Amino acid sequence: MKLKRILPFARELLLSTVESGDIVVDATAGNGYDTLFLTELVGKHGHVYAFDIQAEAIQATTKRLEEANKLDIATLIQDGHENLHLYIQQEISAAIFNLGYLPGSNHEIITTGDSTQQAIESLLQLLKVGGIIVLVVYHGHLGGKEEKDSILRYVQSLSQSFVHVLSYQFLNQQNDPPFIIAIEKMKDQK
């Protein structure tokens, strides 16, 4: 077996969970790569909700989806992922986050532990049993270690009878390599 790198492993988790017709969330649209990937997974009868607080991220994602003729199966929302509960009430099968900052933009605009935790809490309420939340944690920037520590504390406190939490990381890489936290919903919380 070959070890998968971080982004291919994140996509493999989504690929093994999302089916045609599903509703999914890209909690950090960024440059639109994950949003486009999710549109391919859900097909023409599914839907993708993509969030980003930066107008340039929404514009980049819109352009990417337009070029692929997939804009009609996505809703792009310029708002923080902590507010996703205001936009989505349907059951979802998966969500993905790329934590940190938008590549090629202002590095001072970052995701935070508090907003990400709020988003995860909302997603866990919407997530179907067997669904998954994938967080790609980039933490080698100002504020990144605080977010990483906050998210790790939070997910470690989740009941194992409700969700399974996985950490996937390479331990011998330098310069704060990204890692994955995956949360699989095992049953509805009472």
Side-chain angles (χ1 to χ4, degrees), residues 25-54:
V25 175
D26 184 348
T28 52
N31 287 309
Y33 294 105
D34 287 334
T35 306
L36 178 59
F37 178 70
L38 290 170
T39 64
E40 294 164 359
L41 294 181
V42 302
K44 63 182 179 179
H45 299 295
H47 201 78
V48 178
Y49 289 91
F51 293 83
D52 209 292
I53 60 171
Q54 296 182 78

Side-chain angles (χ1 to χ4, degrees), residues 49-164:
Y49 289 91
F51 293 83
D52 209 292
I53 60 171
Q54 296 182 78
E56 66 186 283
I58 296 299
Q59 292 164 0
T61 302
T62 299
K63 182 177 183 213
R64 188 165 311 285
L65 294 179
E66 283 176 339
E67 289 171 354
N69 201 26
K70 302 278 189 177
L71 193 56
D72 61 327
I73 57 173
T75 301
L76 306 180
I77 301 163
Q78 187 180 343
D79 199 352
H81 51 233
E82 68 274 16
N83 295 320
L84 63 87
H85 66 282
L86 300 173
Y87 302 92
I88 308 169
Q89 283 74 46
Q90 308 99 309
E91 182 178 72
I92 66 165
S93 65
I96 187 163
F97 292 75
N98 279 286
L99 302 179
Y101 56 84
L102 177 64
S105 73
N106 183 346
H107 292 196
E108 292 178 14
I109 301 173
I110 60 171
T111 55
T112 66
D114 289 341
S115 68
T116 301
Q117 181 177 329
Q118 290 172 31
I120 294 168
E121 288 172 357
S122 294
L123 289 168
L124 286 172
Q125 297 303 311
L126 298 170
L127 196 64
K128 72 178 184 179
V129 173
I132 195 164
I133 300 169
V134 178
L135 298 103
V136 181
V137 182
Y138 294 90
H139 56 98
H141 60 278
L142 189 61
K145 289 182 183 29
E146 293 82 0
E147 179 180 34
K148 175 190 82 165
D149 292 344
S150 171
I151 296 303
L152 285 172
R153 276 191 305 276
Y154 171 67
V155 299
Q156 289 170 353
S157 74
L158 295 172
S159 170
Q160 67 181 4
S161 62
F162 170 50
V163 297
H164 289 169

